[in-house]
Amino acid sequence: MPVYIRKTMVISPPSILSRMSDDEDDYLTDPDQIRDLLPQPYRMINKIIYNLFDDIWEIISERENARIAEASRIKPPKYECAIQMQPFGQATCLSDSIDGRYIFIGLPNGLAAVDAMTQQTVTTWEDDKIEVTQMQVSLIGVQTYLLCTVDDMGVSRFFAFAQDRIHLLKVASEQGGSGSKTIITKCQASTEGDFVGIVFEDTSNKETWIEVQKLPRDDWLRELEATSKKSTSQTKPQSPAPLGDDSDAPADGEQLPGEEKMIDAEDAEKEEKQSVGQRSQSPTSSRGAMSPVPPGGGGSSEKMHTKFSTPTLVVKIRPPADITGCNASTPQQATKLTDTGEVIGSGSNHSLTAHHLENRKAVFDYFHEQHLRYLPKEEESAQQPMFHFFTAGRLLPTGLDMPGQEGRPSSIGVWWVGGTQVFYYSLVKASKDIEHKPEFVSPHSDVLTATAVSQCTSLLAVGLKNGIVVIWDMHIGVNRRLINLTDDATILKLVFLNPNICGQDKVHYPPYGTKTNSYLLAWCSDGSVYLINCGMGKTSQPITVMPKMSDQDNLPTMVEPVNGVPEVILVVKRNGTAFLLDVTKGNSLPLCQVNLPTTHELTTPWDPVITVGGQGHMMYLKASQKDPSEDYVPNSGMSSLFVFTLRSFPTLDDYLRRQRPDIPYVIHNTVDKRIETLLKERINQQASRQRRMQERWINLKNELDIIQQIKDTNKRNADLRSEYLHP
C-alpha cells in the first residue's frame, strides 16, 4: 500500500535520550559510571555490600510496616487479674470435668483434683515414679469420673474419682504379651466410659495396633459405692483405748490408717516389674510442692484392700497391610479370588500379580529417575491411628435391634495417619477371633488429616489434605455436605459446636421435629478458622472466623471451644498470646486477651498446658519465668499455675448469663413417636375444631338467608320484566 508524505513535513531525528540503555552501569545515564569499574576483588566486595544494604532496607521496611499495622490495629481488652497456684507449678497436663465441677491436674508424681471454682485441693494420688503426660476424663455416674492416663514411661492407668477420692481401678497392659518393649501412646474412652481404645507401640519394630476393651462400668460403680460405705464405717469415732494398750498398733507389714492400696492382685507382679512402687492416697497428705486438702476437703482414708473388676478385650485392630500382588497363577484363579465389587473394601483383593506391580514400579522409576532423587527420604516411623466410637445407625446397623444397646457404642471407626480410608469394626458382634475384618470401609479421594464426631455420634466430619470437608449423617446414612474450604492449606482440626448457637429453621408442620442445624468449626494449617453450617440441604458459604495468617508467629497452636459457652473459642498463638473469640460474629475483634504478669510467659506455646473449667467461668494455664536466674518471688519456683476468673471480665458477662436451650444434633423420630405426636396434636386441637364448627354453622345460616334473599329478588325482577314485555 503506497504511503504519501508531504514534502513540507519535517521529521525530527531520534533523540539520544530515547536510545539510552537500561543498563545501570552505562555512563550516559550516570556520569559517575564514566570511570572504569572497580577491579577484582573490590568489585565483588562492593556488590556484596550493596546487596547487604538492600536486604537490610527490606527488613527495616517490613518492620516499619508491621509496626504501623500494629499501631493502627484495634486491640482487644486485656485482663491481668490472675491467681497464682504455686503448689501446682509443675503440672504436666490439665483436664476439665464434663460438668465443670473439678479440674484434674497431672503432676510429675501423681494426680490431683481441684475444685474448679474455689481452687481448693480436693484430693491427691501420689507416686514419685509416675509422671502423667496425657489424661482424658469421662462422666460414668453421678459425680463419678473415669480418668484415663498415660505416663512418660508409656503405661496407662484407669482411675475413678468419686466421693472426693481417687481410686486406681486398673493398670492397662498388652493382653497376652510380655510388654517388655511395648509402650502405650494413646488411651481414649467413649463418652460414658463403656469402651476404651488403647494404642500400643512396639519400640523394637515400630509396629502399632489398637486394643478395644469393654469396661465394667456398672460393676465399678457398685464396687466404688461399696468401698465408700466401707470407708465411712471405718472412720466412725471409737472409744479411746486404755493407756498402754497396744492392741491398736499396726502389726509388721500392715498398712497404717490413711493409706489405701487399690491394685488388682493379678497386676501386682506387673506393677512390681515396672517399678511403679506402692500407690497411696490421702486427701490430707502433702508433698513439698503439693498443698494439703483444705479443712472440710475430705477425711483420711482408712485401711482397705479393694479389687476392682477387669476390662474385657473386645477387638484388636492392626494397620492395613500394604497392597501386594495376587498369588494366583492363572487369570481364572485371580478372578475367583477377586471380590464381586458389591461391597467397598480395602483394595487388598485384586487380580494384579506381583510381577505386574514390579514392572509398573520399574517403568515409573525409569521415566522419573531424575525427579525421584530430589524427594525427601521417608523416615521409618510407627503408624499413628485415630478412632471414634459410634452408636448404631442406618450406616452402621450392627446392634440397632439389640435390647439395652440404645445410646451405647456399638462400633468403632479407625483411620491411620497417611491413609485415605476409614475402617469400621463392630464391638457387639460375637466372634471367636479378636482380630476380624472391618464391617464397613469408607474410602476418600485424598489423605485424611482430621475427623470429628458429634456428642451423640450421629454426625461425622472428615477433613482431607486438599482442604475438602465431608459431613456424614451416620444415623440416616446420607451425606449432608461436601465443601471445599481452601486449596492452599490442610485441615488440622474439626470440632462440632452445640446446636443451640445455630439458628433453627421454623417448621409449622409436622408437629414433631424433623431436622436441626449445627455448626462445625474447622481449623486449617495456614491459621484460618471457619464455621460451617451442617444443616440438611444447606448451601451457605462458611463463615471466616480467623483469616489466613502470613506471619508465622501469629499462627495458632491451639483452637478449642469453651465448655459451657459454645459461642466462644480459646485460641493460643505461637507468640504466647491467649485470647477468647466469638465464632458467631465472623472475622471480628477478640472478646478479650488474657495477660500474664510481666515476669512470666506461657509455657511451651506450641503445646500449652491450659484448660477452661467451671462451665466457662475459670481458666487455668501454666506459665514460666522469663528470666530463670532472677527470683521474683521467694521460693516461687520456675513455673506456676495461674487461674483467671473469666466471670469478672465485662466482655464475657452476656455470654455467661445467657440461657441456652437443649437442642440435639440429630432428631431421631420413630414411627410410634410420630403417631403419638400427631394424635396428641389432634386431641389438643379438638376444642378449636368444635369452635370452628359452631362458627361455621352460624355462618352457614346467614349465608342461606342471603342466598334466599338473592333468589327472591331475582324472582321479583323476572316477574317485572315479563309484565313489561307482555303488558
Side-chain angles (χ1 to χ4, degrees):
M1 182 177 180
V3 178
Y4 299 96
I5 301 176
R6 291 181 297 177
K7 296 181 180 181
T8 58
M9 184 176 180
V10 179
I11 300 177
S12 60
S15 175
I16 298 178
L17 296 177
S18 64
R19 293 187 288 108
M20 286 186 178
S21 175
D22 295 335
D23 188 6
E24 295 181 356
D25 297 337
D26 192 353
Y27 69 92
L28 294 177
T29 58
D30 188 358
D32 293 337
Q33 298 296 335
I34 195 171
R35 302 181 180 86
D36 294 336
L37 296 175
L38 294 173
Q40 292 291 359
Y42 304 105
R43 189 189 308 170
M44 182 182 65
I45 297 174
N46 183 58
K47 187 175 182 180
I48 292 174
I49 293 175
Y50 270 101
N51 293 337
L52 181 61
F53 274 107
D54 292 341
D55 296 340
I56 293 175
W57 185 255
E58 290 181 1
I59 295 174
I60 294 174
S61 300
E62 292 178 359
R63 291 182 178 180
E64 183 67 16
N65 294 334
R67 186 187 64 80
I68 295 175
E70 181 68 19
S72 60
R73 184 175 61 90
I74 302 176
K75 298 180 181 180
K78 299 180 180 180
Y79 300 100
E80 301 178 354
C81 49
I83 304 172
Q84 187 174 3
M85 297 179 63
Q86 184 56 40
F88 301 106
Q90 300 299 324
T92 56
C93 59
L94 299 173
S95 183
D96 172 39
S97 62
I98 306 301
D99 53 5
R101 293 176 178 268
Y102 305 97
I103 295 293
F104 298 99
I105 305 175
L107 299 167
N109 54 355
L111 289 171
V114 177
D115 188 280
M117 302 301 295
T118 62
Q119 295 84 50
Q120 296 293 328
T121 305
V122 179
T123 185
T124 61
W125 184 91
E126 302 177 17
D127 193 317
D128 294 335
K129 298 181 180 179
I130 296 177
E131 180 179 350
V132 179
T133 57
Q134 301 178 27
M135 179 167 47
Q136 186 213 9
V137 181
S138 301
L139 184 63
I140 61 176
V142 180
Q143 295 189 20
T144 304
Y145 310 90
L146 174 66
L147 281 68
C148 301
T149 64
V150 179
D151 62 13
D152 58 337
M153 300 302 294
V155 179
S156 179
R157 294 172 178 82
F158 302 145
F159 296 91
F161 175 75
Q163 302 296 329
D164 293 344
R165 297 177 182 272
I166 298 178
H167 305 266
L168 176 63
L169 303 177
K170 181 68 178 176
V171 178
S173 62
E174 182 186 4
Q175 298 288 337
S178 60
S180 58
K181 296 182 180 180
T182 302
I183 62 174
I184 296 176
T185 59
K186 184 179 181 180
C187 184
Q188 178 180 335
S190 58
T191 304
E192 297 182 355
D194 296 288
F195 294 90
V196 63
I198 307 174
V199 180
F200 291 88
E201 179 182 342
D202 192 340
T203 57
S204 60
N205 54 11
K206 302 297 182 180
E207 183 181 359
T208 307
W209 66 93
I210 306 174
E211 288 187 4
V212 182
Q213 300 180 5
K214 184 177 182 180
L215 302 179
R217 185 188 64 174
D218 299 334
D219 295 339
W220 282 350
L221 292 176
R222 288 191 294 267
E223 292 163 359
L224 289 171
E225 184 177 359
T227 302
S228 176
K229 291 181 179 179
K230 184 178 179 180
S231 176
T232 304
S233 62
Q234 291 182 358
T235 55
K236 290 183 179 180
Q238 300 179 358
S239 58
L243 185 63
D245 188 4
D246 297 336
S247 59
D248 294 337
D252 294 337
E254 186 177 358
Q255 286 180 304
L256 294 173
E259 295 183 349
E260 179 184 359
K261 187 175 181 181
M262 299 173 292
I263 307 175
D264 295 350
E266 61 182 1
D267 295 330
E269 184 177 356
K270 299 178 182 178
E271 297 277 357
E272 185 177 359
K273 290 181 180 180
Q274 296 170 356
S275 299
V276 296
Q278 181 180 4
R279 288 142 188 86
S280 62
Q281 173 193 336
S282 175
T284 58
S285 63
S286 61
R287 51 162 187 84
M290 179 84 66
S291 63
V293 178
S300 61
S301 302
E302 297 294 335
K303 180 183 69 175
M304 61 184 66
H305 298 277
T306 306
K307 180 180 179 181
F308 293 94
S309 302
T310 305
T312 305
L313 181 61
V314 177
V315 61
K316 191 174 183 179
I317 304 172
R318 296 188 180 273
D322 296 334
I323 297 178
T324 58
C326 180
N327 296 327
S329 58
T330 61
Q332 291 78 8
Q333 294 180 0
T335 305
K336 293 180 181 180
L337 296 176
T338 306
D339 293 337
T340 58
E342 297 176 356
V343 180
I344 299 177
S346 60
S348 58
N349 294 337
H350 53 82
S351 58
L352 301 178
T353 62
H355 182 66
H356 175 77
L357 296 178
E358 292 176 358
N359 290 340
R360 288 175 62 92
K361 186 178 184 305
V363 171
F364 182 83
D365 294 344
Y366 175 78
F367 282 104
H368 302 280
E369 180 180 2
Q370 297 181 355
H371 303 283
L372 291 175
R373 60 184 178 181
Y374 296 107
L375 292 178
K377 295 182 179 180
E378 297 182 358
E379 297 181 359
E380 184 180 359
S381 60
Q383 289 183 284
Q384 295 299 325
M386 301 293 174
F387 55 89
H388 302 283
F389 294 95
F390 295 93
T391 56
R394 301 303 178 190
L395 195 60
L396 301 171
T398 305
L400 193 60
D401 53 351
M402 292 185 179
Q405 193 61 32
E406 183 179 359
R408 294 194 171 187
S410 60
S411 303
I412 182 174
V414 182
W415 61 277
W416 301 82
V417 175
T420 60
Q421 299 167 327
V422 182
F423 302 87
Y424 298 93
Y425 299 85
S426 174
L427 300 177
V428 296
K429 185 178 180 180
S431 177
K432 297 181 180 179
D433 188 8
I434 60 174
E435 297 187 27
H436 51 77
K437 295 182 179 180
E439 298 291 327
F440 175 64
V441 179
S442 175
H444 295 82
S445 61
D446 205 345
V447 176
L448 280 71
T449 57
T451 54
V453 295
S454 59
Q455 187 176 3
C456 60
T457 72
S458 297
L459 297 179
L460 170 65
V462 180
L464 305 181
K465 188 177 180 179
N466 54 9
I468 294 178
V469 177
V470 186
I471 303 174
W472 288 90
D473 191 327
M474 303 296 290
H475 180 74
I476 304 177
V478 298
N479 188 329
R480 278 204 173 188
R481 287 203 69 177
L482 190 149
I483 184 169
N484 186 7
L485 280 182
T486 176
D487 297 330
D488 305 327
T490 302
I491 309 297
L492 294 182
K493 187 173 183 179
L494 298 172
V495 180
F496 281 100
L497 302 181
N498 199 312
N500 55 33
I501 67 173
C502 186
Q504 305 298 324
D505 299 332
K506 294 183 179 180
V507 180
H508 300 285
Y509 196 85
Y512 50 84
T514 56
K515 60 181 180 179
T516 58
N517 300 328
S518 59
Y519 281 137
L520 174 68
L521 190 70
W523 171 27
C524 301
S525 59
D526 58 358
S528 58
V529 180
Y530 299 94
L531 197 64
I532 306 172
N533 193 329
C534 305
M536 186 71 72
K538 295 295 182 180
T539 59
S540 58
Q541 293 297 321
I543 302 173
T544 303
V545 179
M546 291 178 58
K548 178 180 178 181
M549 301 292 177
S550 58
D551 188 5
Q552 295 294 325
D553 291 338
N554 287 329
L555 287 177
T557 59
M558 179 180 180
V559 177
E560 287 289 343
V562 176
N563 187 20
V565 190
E567 303 97 334
V568 180
I569 61 173
L570 171 64
V571 181
V572 180
K573 293 186 177 182
R574 286 187 180 180
N575 54 15
T577 59
F579 57 89
L580 300 176
L581 185 66
D582 188 346
V583 297
T584 59
K585 295 183 178 180
N587 189 8
S588 61
L589 186 69
L591 296 175
C592 62
Q593 180 176 330
V594 179
N595 272 15
L596 289 166
T598 56
T599 58
H600 288 74
E601 61 184 358
L602 186 65
T603 305
T604 60
W606 56 90
D607 187 16
V609 180
I610 184 173
T611 188
V612 179
Q615 295 294 320
H617 287 74
M618 311 297 292
M619 178 187 292
Y620 292 73
L621 61 87
K622 180 182 178 182
S624 304
Q625 291 184 0
K626 294 182 179 179
D627 188 2
S629 61
E630 185 176 352
D631 194 5
Y632 299 100
V633 180
N635 301 323
S636 62
M638 293 285 296
S639 58
S640 301
L641 191 65
F642 289 89
V643 184
F644 291 86
T645 307
L646 300 182
R647 57 186 176 182
S648 63
F649 294 178
T651 54
L652 299 178
D653 285 343
D654 182 46
Y655 296 92
L656 297 176
R657 298 175 182 176
R658 190 174 299 174
Q659 298 294 331
R660 300 174 180 85
D662 188 11
I663 300 177
Y665 288 90
V666 177
I667 298 178
H668 302 160
N669 289 321
T670 61
V671 176
D672 296 338
K673 185 176 181 180
R674 295 180 183 182
I675 294 176
E676 181 182 358
T677 306
L678 291 173
L679 183 60
K680 185 177 180 179
E681 185 195 21
R682 186 74 176 174
I683 294 174
N684 294 334
Q685 293 180 353
Q686 181 66 24
S688 62
R689 286 200 305 273
Q690 292 180 356
R691 185 176 61 257
R692 290 199 306 270
M693 186 65 68
Q694 294 176 359
E695 293 176 356
R696 182 57 186 161
W697 277 110
I698 295 174
N699 294 334
L700 180 61
K701 182 179 180 181
N702 296 332
E703 291 174 358
L704 290 176
D705 294 341
I706 294 173
I707 293 174
Q708 186 63 34
Q709 293 177 3
I710 294 174
K711 185 177 180 181
D712 295 342
T713 302
N714 292 337
K715 184 177 180 181
R716 286 195 300 270
N717 293 336
D719 294 340
L720 293 175
R721 191 181 302 107
S722 61
E723 292 177 359
Y724 178 78
L725 296 175
H726 305 283

